[in-house]
């Protein structure tokens, strides 16, 4: 099937283009790795592309040291907030797709709009509120914030996904006497895996990498990794091997999630989650 | 049955209620606070700006007037222009690149999974990391400019993020005319589309509207000068570097979207086209690309709102002080937290919000209306 | 689930969420944006404090990034929310006064200064900069000098020139150097280094009295004397490298060290960079002079800590401030930071050759404040000065820049 899609002679061109594109995408990674492995004295603009003379693994060790205490914070934050916003999004999507109450369309649109606001604009009132409810400086404050601001996108993805489920399935189950939650548990939830994958991947990426709320709403004990990463690159004279090593390390968990769930990601996108 | 449906709807509402409340507070409540702040003079008086209980006066739309017509706020106006250019190039780059990569991968090359992974992985990085790496790569003395030396040529000398060049300059005072012309053209295009679809009343309506706007643009607008002095704006070449980094990060995601769409095209459709004698090019332009239209729209919405709000990437790449790569979100940040102009910063935030809404709201309305028809 | 199992599960979950056990001890939270190479100096100071007060737990909240913008965002968000840190780092002078003191958020430290005898230990010029509205508002930990010009003595000898003392000499020397093949004798870096260079030029053109008059509102920015500053600045810029915007300040200093440029006007943290990171010997590997036209004047910037009103641990904070202003504290912090102590009785044996020379100047020179580093202008002005600089760089029009500066000064009420 694939071979019949292109005549043989154009296939080499396809590979050339793909390899060129791949090198464009990988070039910065090469730079990151090479810089991370250099001794600080060796890092300079003129020799940026050259391989290190001595492979300085110490940068990774040092970055790891700086990160380790924050890793726990990031993990708690990201896993909890992703799971919670995914669960809530699934329930919301179920309601909007299958049991729209009068006015549901407007409510859905209003919730969806929350996805588009610029976060710097609401930082000050947000801080005041988080502080007022006593969650400032804790990881739970961040969990609440990320869960709430994740609701619009997770609701959208699940709602689109669930509209693909035929109503007949729902009706059949209802005829058998199943109620709201029973239908969810027995019909909708088992079908939701691709939707959850898309949502979890998206939320994991967003929350793990987020900086503004992380730095404003946490204190040293509850800082996530993104803040630690910024500390590495701070100061008057930056020794670039550290931030580069740190960035590579910080990207690993999200990459891991991609590798493990990547297949389902595309399938999940396909299954109607982001169709127009 | 109806009673059952009714009960389930009520249950549904109760299930969604917590989300409604949370969004009401965290989104609309805070936007309301920001909107209110933007209508005050909070920040103009240093003795009140950071006081424990700031006393501020209501000054209506003065902050907005200053932003659009005040002498000092030229930087804001350039930011608006820059955002438009950046959005256009960023969207075009991601869509074209993403589509191209998706089509190539759809041909199932060897190592497909590897290629897919390579293209998608930048999406896993934070904008801060991307910005830091690309800042390094685009430093004029090294990085990308040194690449030609690898094949024996002399190093490139483009200044990338530090460039002070500006092209396609226009005077801010000509803006009403330019906007009028663009609006007239858009309305005319809609009229043509409606005519082709056979909806004559709609077509006539839009055609008349277009003519009216054109008349305004040519007749009235030139006399309406927002600024008492000429002020040139244009496309800052320094943004090229930012576009490259942003496309690098998001093209993979766009590719994944298109790939999902391409995989969803039934094989029978392709085979039928081949049977009818279509070559590859016609297959793509006549059949496949039109089917991708909804995905393109989705992608444009997501990418568009990212581009309007872009902050982390520019901050990491060019820092807060580079006027040539400034964007509204960054200006809002430093106006608020470095200049202590809280009201003005809030005004910039509200303007950003309105911009985003102008794109999102029509999209949402068309989506929901479609739902009704189905 | 069986009962022991659920108990252990609960205990495990609880331990995940447990915080440090609460002891009967006091806390102190200090807020700064020091990180990286500056970290060790702060840490040494904290260690000194902890040794003296072992049952006060010090929480070191640093927020780096964006040349302090992130820290400011977090600090202001907290202060607006009514949750001040016990003490925070702030540039001494108008950056503190114009933002926090006028908003009535800081406690007056005059009593502390008197009880610790600091009125005699800090130069009068410094105390003047720290004071406003009959109060003194922060304790300076260190002093950096802004108006320094660096060069490599061997290179200057090679080219047959001597370090210029006035702006005219500087322009003439640069011309000579261009004849000798040094195309861009002045090494310049990105954005803020322009502002840094500008204030040295301004001080050289105006002199200390008029410089101070700018900031009290007595001299207007579009006064012909002040307009001349921009014209001279333009002439100085003609000798700078055109690719300046792409270089960090260290990379500009590197240019001077390598011999690509002859002079580099930078604050004396450059000495720390050259002496500590690059291991050059002060006086041999690099030499210094007051920037052209500013001999006898010490343009200072200082990192300092104040006492916000309504902090949770006021006593601990006051103890911290006492440490900061003490001879031991300052002589622990500054050799590591690469700056000099604000105190006049500092033990100079702990400092390297450059810092000793700077300390001598500190005792004898006239002291004025820096613009680029928060001493003489409030944030509302300093934050917009970049716009003025951009206007000048784009148009090279001294009048335009001067008018823009005055417009901003009027808008923020400078000097009132």
């Amino acid at each position: 099937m694939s071979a019949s899609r292109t005549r043989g002679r154009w296939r080499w061109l396809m590979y050339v283009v793909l390899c060129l594109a791949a090198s464009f995408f990988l070039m910065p990674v090469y730079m990151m790795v090479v810089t991370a492995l250099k001794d600080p004295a060796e890092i300079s603009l003129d020799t940026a592309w050259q391989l290190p003379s001595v492979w300085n693994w110490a940068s990774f060790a040092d970055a790891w040291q700086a990160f380790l205490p924050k890793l726990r914070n990031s993990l708690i934050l990201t896993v909890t907030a992703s799971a919670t916003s995914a669960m809530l999004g699934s329930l919301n999507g179920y309601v909007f797709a299958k049991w729209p109450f009068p006015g549901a369309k407007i409510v859905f649109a209003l919730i969806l709009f929350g996805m588009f606001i610029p976060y710097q604009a609401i930082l000050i009132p947000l801080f005041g509120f988080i502080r007022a409810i006593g969650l400032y400086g804790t990881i739970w404050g961040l969990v609440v914030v990320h869960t709430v601001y994740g609701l619009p996108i997770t609701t959208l993805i699940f709602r689109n996904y669930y509209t693909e489920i035929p109503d007949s399935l729902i009706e059949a189950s209802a005829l058998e006497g199943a109620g709201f939650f029973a239908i969810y548990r027995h019909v909708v939830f088992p079908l939701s895996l691709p939707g959850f994958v898309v949502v979890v991947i998206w939320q994991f990426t967003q929350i793990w990498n987020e900086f503004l709320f992380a730095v404003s709403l946490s204190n040293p004990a509850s800082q996530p990794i993104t803040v630690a990463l910024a500390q590495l690159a701070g100061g008057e004279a930056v020794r670039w091997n550290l931030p580069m090593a740190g960035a590579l390390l910080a990207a690993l968990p999200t990459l891991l999630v991609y590798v493990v769930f990547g297949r389902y990601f595309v399938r999940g996108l396909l299954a109607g989650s982001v169709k127009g | 049955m109806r009673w059952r449906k009714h009960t389930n709807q009520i249950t549904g509402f109760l299930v969604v209620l917590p989300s409604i409340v949370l969004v009401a507070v965290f989104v609309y409540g805070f936007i309301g606070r920001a909107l209110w702040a933007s209508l005050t003079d909070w920040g103009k008086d240093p003795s009140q700006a950071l006081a424990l209980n700031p006393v501020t006066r209501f000054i209506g739309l003065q902050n907005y007037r200053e932003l659009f017509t005040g002498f000092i706020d030229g930087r804001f106006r350039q930011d608006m222009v820059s955002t438009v250019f950046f959005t256009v190039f960023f969207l075009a780059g991601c869509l074209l690149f993403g589509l191209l990569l998706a089509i190539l991968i759809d041909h199932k090359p060897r190592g497909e999974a590897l290629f897919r992974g390579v293209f998608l992985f930048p999406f896993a990085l934070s904008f801060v990391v991307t910005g830091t790496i690309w800042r390094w790569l685009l430093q004029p003395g090294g990085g990308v400019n040194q690449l030609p030396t690898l094949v024996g040529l002399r190093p490139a000398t483009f200044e990338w993020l530090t460039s002070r060049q500006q092209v396609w300059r226009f005077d801010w005072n000509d803006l009403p005319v330019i906007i009028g012309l663009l609006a007239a053209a858009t309305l005319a295009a809609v009229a043509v589309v409606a005519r082709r679809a056979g909806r004559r009343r709609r077509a006539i309506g839009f055609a008349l509207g277009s003519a009216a706007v054109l008349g305004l643009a040519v007749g009235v607008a030139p006399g309406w000068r927002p600024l008492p002095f000429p002020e040139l704006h244009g496309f800052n070449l320094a943004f090229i570097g930012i576009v490259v980094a942003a496309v690098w990060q998001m093209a993979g995601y766009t590719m994944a979207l298109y790939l999902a769409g391409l995989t969803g095209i039934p094989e029978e459709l392709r085979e039928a086209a081949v049977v009818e004698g279509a070559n590859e090019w016609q297959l793509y332009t006549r059949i496949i690309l039109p089917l991708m239209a909804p995905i393109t729209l989705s992608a444009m919405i997501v990418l568009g709102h990212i581009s309007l709000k872009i902050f982390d990437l520019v901050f990491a790449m060019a820092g807060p002080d580079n006027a040539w790569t400034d964007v509204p979100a960054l200006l809002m940040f430093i106006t608020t937290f470095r200049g202590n102009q809280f009201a003005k910063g809030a005004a910039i935030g509200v303007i950003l919000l309105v911009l985003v809404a102008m794109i999102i709201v029509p999209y949402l309305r068309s989506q929901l209306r479609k739902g009704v028809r189905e | 689930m069986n009962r022991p199992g659920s108990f252990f599960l609960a205990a495990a979950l609880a331990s995940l969420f447990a915080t440090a056990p609460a002891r009967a001890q006091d806390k102190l939270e200090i807020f700064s944006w020091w990180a990286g190479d500056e970290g060790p100096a702060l840490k040494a100071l904290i260690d000194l404090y902890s040794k003296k007060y072992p049952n006060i737990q010090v929480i070191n909240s640093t927020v780096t990034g964006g040349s302090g913008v992130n820290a400011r965002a977090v600090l202001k968000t907290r202060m607006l929310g009514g949750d001040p840190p016990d003490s925070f780092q702030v540039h001494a002078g108008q950056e503190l006064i114009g933002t926090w003191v006028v908003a009535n958020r800081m406690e007056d430290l005059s009593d502390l200064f008197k009880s610790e005898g600091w009125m005699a230990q800090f130069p009068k010029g410094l105390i003047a900069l720290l004071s406003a509205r009959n109060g003194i508002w922060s304790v300076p930990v260190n002093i950096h000098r802004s108006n320094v010009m660096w060069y490599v003595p061997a290179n200057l000898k090679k080219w047959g020139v001597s370090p210029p003392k006035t702006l005219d000499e500087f322009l003439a020397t640069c011309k000579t150097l261009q004849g000798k093949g040094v195309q861009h004798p002045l090494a310049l870096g990105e954005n803020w280094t322009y502002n840094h260079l500008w204030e040295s030029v301004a001080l050289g053109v105006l002199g200390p009295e008029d410089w101070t008059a700018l900031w009290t509102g007595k001299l207007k920015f579009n006064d012909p004397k002040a307009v001349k500053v921009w014209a001279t600045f333009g002439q100085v810029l003609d000798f700078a490298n055109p690719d300046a915007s792409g270089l960090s300040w260290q990379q500009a200093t590197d240019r001077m060290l390598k011999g690509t440029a002859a002079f580099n006007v930078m604050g004396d943290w450059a000495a720390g960079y050259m002496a500590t990171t690059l291991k050059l010997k002060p006086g041999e590997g690099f030499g210094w002079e007051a920037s052209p036209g500013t001999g006898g004047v010490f343009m200072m910037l200082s990192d300092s800590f104040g006492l916000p009103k309504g902090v949770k641990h006021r006593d601990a904070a006051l103890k911290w401030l006492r440490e900061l202003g003490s001879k031991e504290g300052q002589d622990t912090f500054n050799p590591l930071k690469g700056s000099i102590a604000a105190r006049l009785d500092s033990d100079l044996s702990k400092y390297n050759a450059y810092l000793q020379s700077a300390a001598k100047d500190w005792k004898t020179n006239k002291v004025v404040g820096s613009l680029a580093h928060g001493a003489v202008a409030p944030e509302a002005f300093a934050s917009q000065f970049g716009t003025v600089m951009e206007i000048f760089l784009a148009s090279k029009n001294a009048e335009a820049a001067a008018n823009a500066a005055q417009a901003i000064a009027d808008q923020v009420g400078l000097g009132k």
Side-chain angles (χ1 to χ4, degrees), chain A residues 115-116, chain B residues 91 296-306 359-360 363:
Chain A
M115 179 172 134
F116 300 112
Chain B
L91 246 53
T296 305
L297 190 58
S298 250
M300 278 174 68
I301 297 296
V302 173
L303 293 174
H305 104 263
I306 288 180
I359 301 183
I360 300 300
Y363 172 70

Side-chain angles (χ1 to χ4, degrees), chain C residues 177-239:
Chain C
L177 285 169
Q178 280 186 327
K180 302 240 165 117
V182 184
Q183 261 196 327
H184 307 291
L186 179 64
L188 192 59
E190 57 178 348
N191 312 102
W192 66 268
T193 64
Y194 280 81
N195 299 344
H196 187 102
L197 177 65
W198 185 86
E199 65 181 10
S200 271
V201 171
L203 184 61
V205 170
L206 293 172
E209 281 84 25
D210 278 343
W211 169 256
T212 313
L214 269 182
W215 309 109
T216 54
K218 292 210 189 73
L219 181 66
K220 295 236 176 291
F221 283 90
N222 45 12
D223 186 291
K225 275 195 275 192
V227 176
K228 184 157 174 283
V229 170
W230 290 100
T232 316
F233 183 60
Q235 288 176 307
V236 169
L237 277 186
D238 287 337
F239 294 113

Side-chain angles (χ1 to χ4, degrees), chain B residues 297-330:
Chain B
L297 190 58
S298 250
M300 278 174 68
I301 297 296
V302 173
L303 293 174
H305 104 263
I306 288 180
S307 132
L308 285 174
K309 291 190 336 184
I310 197 132
F311 170 72
D312 290 352
L313 181 66
V314 179
F315 193 48
M317 279 186 91
D321 286 313
N322 188 343
W324 300 91
T325 57
D326 202 28
V327 288
L330 187 52

Side-chain angles (χ1 to χ4, degrees), chain B residues 29-96:
Chain B
F30 295 160
I31 291 179
R33 289 281 298 274
L35 184 60
W36 173 249
S38 77
L39 298 174
T40 68
D41 67 347
W42 189 17
K44 292 215 199 295
D45 180 5
S47 69
Q48 291 304 321
L50 282 144
L52 198 50
N53 293 305
V55 171
T56 56
R57 287 179 312 144
F58 180 80
I59 57 171
L61 296 175
Q62 190 180 327
N63 284 322
Y64 296 93
R65 253 193 304 249
E66 280 175 17
L67 282 173
F68 283 106
T69 62
F71 170 57
I72 298 295
D73 291 298
R75 182 162 163 177
F76 168 73
R77 295 188 281 276
Q78 176 59 46
D79 289 355
M80 288 279 111
V81 173
S82 295
T83 288
V84 170
F85 280 116
F86 174 70
T87 305
V88 167
F89 287 123
F90 172 57
L91 246 53
C94 282
L95 291 174
L96 288 173

Side-chain angles (χ1 to χ4, degrees), chain A residues 1-2 5-7 11 14-15 17-19 21-22 24-29 31-32 35 43-46 48-49 88 91-92 95-96 99-102 105-126 129-130 133 144-145 148-149 151-152 155 159-160 171 174-181 183 201-202 205-206 209-212 226 229 233 240 243-244 247-248 250-251 254-255 258 262-263 265-266 269-270 274-276, chain B residues 1 4-5 8-9 11-13 15-16 19-20 22-23 25-28 30-31 33-34 42 97 100-101 104-110 115-116 118-129 132-137 139 141-144 146-147 150 244 247-248 251-253 256-257 259-261 263-264 267 270-271 279-280 294-295 298 301-302 305-306 309 311-312 315 329 332-333 336-337 342 349 352-353 356-357 360-361 363-364 367-372:
Chain A
M1 200 166 14
S2 52
R5 284 221 193 131
T6 35
R7 295 176 203 95
R11 235 162 136 81
M14 174 186 75
Y15 279 108
V17 177
L18 277 174
C19 288
F24 168 66
F25 277 86
L26 289 176
M27 168 180 74
V29 184
M31 179 67 92
M32 272 175 87
T35 309
I43 300 176
S44 87
L45 283 176
D46 316 328
W49 291 106
L88 286 175
L91 284 169
N92 289 344
V95 172
F96 286 119
W99 301 111
F101 47 87
K105 280 216 179 351
I106 308 270
V107 173
F108 178 62
L110 286 176
I111 292 184
L112 200 52
F113 187 73
M115 179 172 134
F116 300 112
I117 61 171
Y119 294 129
Q120 299 86 6
I122 47 96
L123 185 60
I124 296 183
L126 177 65
F129 185 79
I130 295 290
I133 60 177
V144 167
V145 169
V148 174
Y149 289 118
L151 280 177
T155 307
R159 183 258 190 190
N160 283 355
E171 278 164 21
L175 276 173
E176 291 177 22
F180 181 90
F181 289 106
I183 297 180
I201 286 188
W202 179 274
T205 313
Q206 296 295 102
N209 288 329
E210 198 274 337
F211 179 69
L212 181 69
T226 37
L229 188 58
W240 285 103
M244 295 292 180
L248 282 168
T254 20
L255 284 176
Y258 272 50
R263 286 171 285 150
F265 188 44
V266 178
L269 286 177
L270 162 67
V274 209
K275 248 208 228 156
Chain B
M1 265 333 287
R4 195 157 242 157
K5 179 168 166 215
N8 283 339
Q9 281 186 345
T11 319
F13 176 73
V15 164
V16 180
S19 299
I20 297 179
L22 285 172
V23 168
V25 171
F26 278 77
V27 173
Y28 294 100
F30 295 160
I31 291 179
R33 289 281 298 274
W42 189 17
F97 217 359
L100 173 67
L101 291 175
L104 288 176
I105 302 255
D106 190 45
H107 283 79
K108 305 225 184 310
R110 266 209 288 234
F115 277 118
R116 230 198 3 235
V118 165
F119 298 140
L120 198 51
F121 100 88
F123 182 58
L125 301 172
S126 76
F127 270 130
V128 175
V129 170
T132 313
I133 308 174
W134 276 99
R135 171 190 213 160
W136 233 63
L137 281 171
Q139 272 203 305
V144 166
Q146 297 283 338
L147 272 180
L150 293 177
V244 168
V247 170
W248 180 81
Y253 166 73
L257 287 180
L259 203 53
T263 326
E267 198 54 35
R270 295 183 196 247
E271 282 169 4
N279 64 22
E280 187 101 30
I295 295 188
S298 250
I301 297 296
V302 173
H305 104 263
I306 288 180
K309 291 190 336 184
F311 170 72
D312 290 352
F315 193 48
M332 170 170 63
F333 192 68
T336 308
F337 291 111
F342 295 99
L352 263 184
L353 197 59
V356 167
I360 300 300
V361 169
Y363 172 70
L364 285 181
Q367 286 300 292
L368 296 179
R369 211 177 299 148
K370 220 191 282 177
V372 169

Side-chain angles (χ1 to χ4, degrees), chain A residues 41 44-46 72 76 80 123-128 131 136 140 211-212 215-221 223 227-240, chain C residues 15-18 29 33-38 59-65 70 73-74 77-83 192 246-247 249-251 258 269 273 277 312 337:
Chain A
S44 87
L45 283 176
D46 316 328
R72 176 172 157 271
I76 295 181
T80 318
L123 185 60
I124 296 183
L126 177 65
F127 174 86
R131 193 164 168 275
Y136 168 70
W140 303 111
F211 179 69
L212 181 69
V215 80
S216 318
L217 298 175
S218 67
N219 61 21
Q223 276 170 0
V227 186
L229 188 58
Q231 310 285 60
L232 282 182
E236 288 285 330
V238 183
R239 286 169 295 157
W240 285 103
Chain C
S15 68
L16 252 189
F17 305 155
E29 186 192 11
W33 61 81
W34 278 318
D37 284 348
E38 300 148 338
I59 305 172
N60 179 6
S61 306
T62 53
V63 179
T64 51
N70 286 337
V74 177
T77 311
R78 284 184 61 169
M79 293 287 279
L80 280 173
D83 180 35
W192 66 268
L247 301 175
W249 70 263
Q250 293 99 316
Q251 286 162 342
K258 250 199 311 210
W269 44 87
Y273 170 62
T277 313
K312 288 199 266 252
K337 173 88 171 56

